[in-house]
Amino acid sequence: MTTTTHQSQLETCIQNCLDCLRDCEYCASAGLSSDMVQMMVQCIKLCQDCADTCTLCARFMSRNSALHTQMCSVCAEACNRCAAECEKHNSEHCKRCAQSCRRCADSCRQMATSMAA
């Protein structure tokens, strides 16, 4: 992989992590504010886990940490779990969060596999 291609992929992945972080935080906050907060507990927890993982992943990639490929794998898993839960709910914020999580998971998975090769 060329340095330019890697840099572009890295920047895209960082942006996807930041977008996912924002959408997860919004989704968790909306879940906490809803009348059905008890029904949203798992969604809220997974959104919080995903947001924290995305934050850490973006930071590792930004500083080109030697651990960023492993962090990308963990982030992809957190995003997949969050997306699967959000897809169970009908609210707009859950739909947006699930889409953002799927995009981030794909990007992180590509990052992890391209660097491991």
Side-chain angles (χ1 to χ4, degrees), residues 32-71:
L32 284 169
S33 301
S34 82
D35 293 339
M36 301 181 303
V37 70
Q38 284 302 75
M39 192 180 93
M40 300 300 292
V41 169
Q42 186 64 11
C43 184
I44 294 163
K45 287 180 178 182
L46 289 170
C47 282
Q48 290 174 328
D49 284 353
C50 190
D52 287 348
T53 307
C54 286
T55 301
L56 192 55
C57 192
R59 292 179 70 186
F60 275 39
M61 286 187 287
S62 294
R63 63 177 168 246
N64 202 27
S65 168
L67 296 173
H68 85 266
T69 55
Q70 291 93 331
M71 194 65 226

Side-chain angles (χ1 to χ4, degrees), residues 12-108:
T12 298
C13 194
I14 290 169
Q15 188 59 56
N16 286 339
C17 283
L18 296 175
D19 291 345
C20 190
L21 155 66
R22 179 197 61 227
D23 291 337
C24 284
E25 287 289 356
Y26 182 84
C27 190
S29 180
L32 284 169
S33 301
S34 82
D35 293 339
M36 301 181 303
V37 70
Q38 284 302 75
M39 192 180 93
M40 300 300 292
V41 169
Q42 186 64 11
C43 184
I44 294 163
K45 287 180 178 182
L46 289 170
C47 282
Q48 290 174 328
D49 284 353
C50 190
D52 287 348
T53 307
C54 286
T55 301
L56 192 55
C57 192
R59 292 179 70 186
F60 275 39
M61 286 187 287
S62 294
R63 63 177 168 246
N64 202 27
S65 168
L67 296 173
H68 85 266
T69 55
Q70 291 93 331
M71 194 65 226
C72 282
S73 291
V74 171
C75 190
E77 178 64 23
C79 288
N80 283 335
R81 289 179 185 198
C82 187
E85 180 62 30
C86 282
E87 287 164 350
K88 295 177 183 176
H89 306 285
N90 242 352
S91 62
E92 262 324 293
H93 58 84
C94 279
K95 289 177 185 175
R96 184 173 54 247
C97 185
Q99 290 172 347
S100 191
C101 285
R102 294 289 182 206
R103 191 170 33 256
C104 187
D106 289 345
S107 188
C108 280

